[in-house]
Structures are given as C-alpha cells and as structure tokens.
Amino acid sequence: MKDRHFDALASRFAEKIYGGSKGAIRLAVLQADLAEVLPDRPLRVLDVGAGLGHMALWLAQRGHRVTLAEPAAPMLEAARERFREAGQAATFIQAPWQELLGQLTQPFDLVLCHAVLEWLAEPHAILPVLHQLTGTEGWLSLAFYNRDALVYRNLLKGHFRKLRSDLLAGEKQSLTPQRPIDPRELEGQMSAHWLIGNRSGVRVFHDYMPAEFQARAELLDLLEMELAYRRHPAFSAMGRYLHWLCRPNGVAP
C-alpha cells in the first residue's frame, strides 16, 4: 500500500467534500475549535496536506502567515487560485510530508494535519515529522477519519459480512479512506510525545440522518446542532472525523 494523493480526483474531492453541508460542518467545527485556543497575534502556520486550501485561507484572512504543503499539483493549483481570488498571500510547496523537514528549517506555531493520516500507508510514520515541525509552545490541529464511526455506519446498514471480514478500506477510486484511524490506537502512538487537549467530533449526527431528513434540514440548524454537540460525552466519539488539538510535551520522538 502507498500513500494516496488526489492528483486525478481534485474536482470530485471538491464536489463531494466541500459541495454541501458535509464540508460546511467540517469547516465550522475546525474553525470553532481553533478560534477557542489560538492567541490574538500573527502565527506561523503550516498546513500539511493542505488540499484545496479552505482552512489555510481562513487563517490567512485572520492575519496569520500561512504555508501550504500539498503533494497533488491540481489540488495545490486550486488552492493558489482560491488565495488569488481572495487577495491573500501564502507560501505554496508541492511536496509530500516525507520531504518537508528538508525544505522547512524552522518549527511553526500551528501545524494543521487534516484528513491526511487515513490516506497514508503507515499513518504513525508522520507523527515524528509533525512533532519536529511544531514549535515547543505550538499547536498541532489533527483531524482524522474515525474508524469507529465507519464501523457504526456499517452496523446500521446491516453490512455484517463486511465487518466480519474487516473490509473497511475504500476502493481505489473511492473517497472512503484506505486506512480509517482507530482513535485508541492513535492515542497510544501519540501518548509519549503529545498532550491531547480539546477533542471534538466532526459530523456527530449529520451522516447518520436519513436522507429525507438531511434534505429538509436547514444548514444553519445543522451547524448550530453540530457545534453544540461536538463535545458531548455520548456523541463526540461518533463523529465521522475526530479533531484533536495537541501540544508537544517536550520529549523528542
């Protein structure tokens, strides 16, 4: 298995992920979480696997100095165009995560790594790199595709044979990730080097709603309820994605 990049699927990614309520909820939760903790001063920000640049642009518009790193040329060009249209400056690097330490010499105040781990052949391998890229007083914003939510979704659909076979990875042309992340396993891998602070679920109920209820719901109502319940002790762990805000604990990997 290799790391998966989105060279050939940029337009489909944009339509599926950011063309409706799913993307709006994802951005709303991530932005609300970050707004709670970030200091009121310009930060050096690195977006690893920046995709189409939605989160990076939001941060640039708030006065932060943003670097976008993305291996897929079509995705990075779309991000450049988004910044041009918004009149915002940024640094753009076309590179996979394995090459970043060779190109970036100083750690960042904030590192974003959103929806990246689940597309890697070995998700844990990126963690030491993220640790080196994050300043000792900095933040890591880590969002990942939640395996527990995928299991639950398949239970609701009665896909018991699939679950017995543990065949949860997406197909080659699918936008279901190739390696959904077990949050307990990830927390164990991070425990020696990171302090995990705020934790939120992203789409804790939306993706479980029957289609007819989704179609009738107003986006503002969906956003309000998703934000209200993103940290509910019974619901947050069922988010399609999980968002953790982490800080280095000072111990080098």
Side-chain angles (χ1 to χ4, degrees), residues 25-59:
I25 294 167
R26 179 163 138 180
L27 289 173
V29 172
L30 296 174
Q31 291 167 3
D33 285 356
L34 287 168
E36 285 181 353
V37 302
L38 295 184
D40 187 20
R41 59 179 175 83
L43 303 176
R44 294 183 69 250
V45 179
L46 172 65
D47 193 346
V48 178
L52 300 169
H54 291 83
M55 281 299 299
L57 178 58
W58 178 76
L59 287 161

Side-chain angles (χ1 to χ4, degrees), residues 105-117:
T105 57
Q106 293 183 333
F108 289 79
D109 303 309
L110 171 65
V111 174
L112 310 181
C113 185
H114 296 163
V116 172
L117 296 187

Side-chain angles (χ1 to χ4, degrees), residues 79-231:
R80 282 196 182 97
E81 181 60 28
R82 177 166 280 103
F83 271 73
R84 281 194 292 266
E85 291 176 355
Q88 294 290 329
T91 300
F92 298 87
I93 300 173
Q94 185 183 348
W97 64 269
Q98 294 92 335
E99 298 177 6
L100 294 180
L101 290 178
Q103 300 190 39
L104 301 169
T105 57
Q106 293 183 333
F108 289 79
D109 303 309
L110 171 65
V111 174
L112 310 181
C113 185
H114 296 163
V116 172
L117 296 187
E118 58 266 27
W119 299 104
L120 303 182
E122 297 181 351
H124 67 278
I126 197 175
L127 297 176
V129 174
L130 296 175
H131 195 278
Q132 291 183 67
L133 291 168
T134 306
T136 55
E137 300 297 321
W139 292 93
L140 169 65
S141 172
L142 186 66
F144 56 91
Y145 194 90
N146 179 14
R147 189 181 189 278
D148 290 344
L150 186 59
V151 169
Y152 192 56
R153 182 77 168 173
N154 278 279
L155 286 169
L156 293 176
K157 290 182 175 182
H159 293 170
F160 304 138
R161 182 180 300 177
K162 187 175 183 179
L163 290 167
R164 290 188 187 104
S165 303
D166 199 27
L167 298 174
L168 297 178
E171 302 296 331
K172 186 173 182 181
Q173 296 302 311
S174 168
L175 291 180
T176 299
Q178 63 186 19
R179 195 177 286 275
I181 302 298
D182 182 323
R184 290 161 299 283
E185 182 177 318
L186 178 61
E187 184 168 7
Q189 293 165 347
M190 297 182 69
S191 61
H193 310 296
W194 296 94
L195 302 174
I196 303 173
N198 292 346
R199 307 177 191 221
S200 294
V202 179
R203 306 204 310 263
V204 299
F205 69 86
H206 173 274
D207 292 16
Y208 304 107
M209 294 176 74
E212 61 269 27
F213 296 159
Q214 284 187 3
R216 290 206 304 264
E218 295 289 339
L219 178 58
L220 288 178
D221 291 332
L222 290 171
L223 294 175
E224 177 189 354
M225 292 295 105
E226 287 283 354
L227 289 171
Y229 286 97
R230 74 191 195 273
R231 293 184 186 145

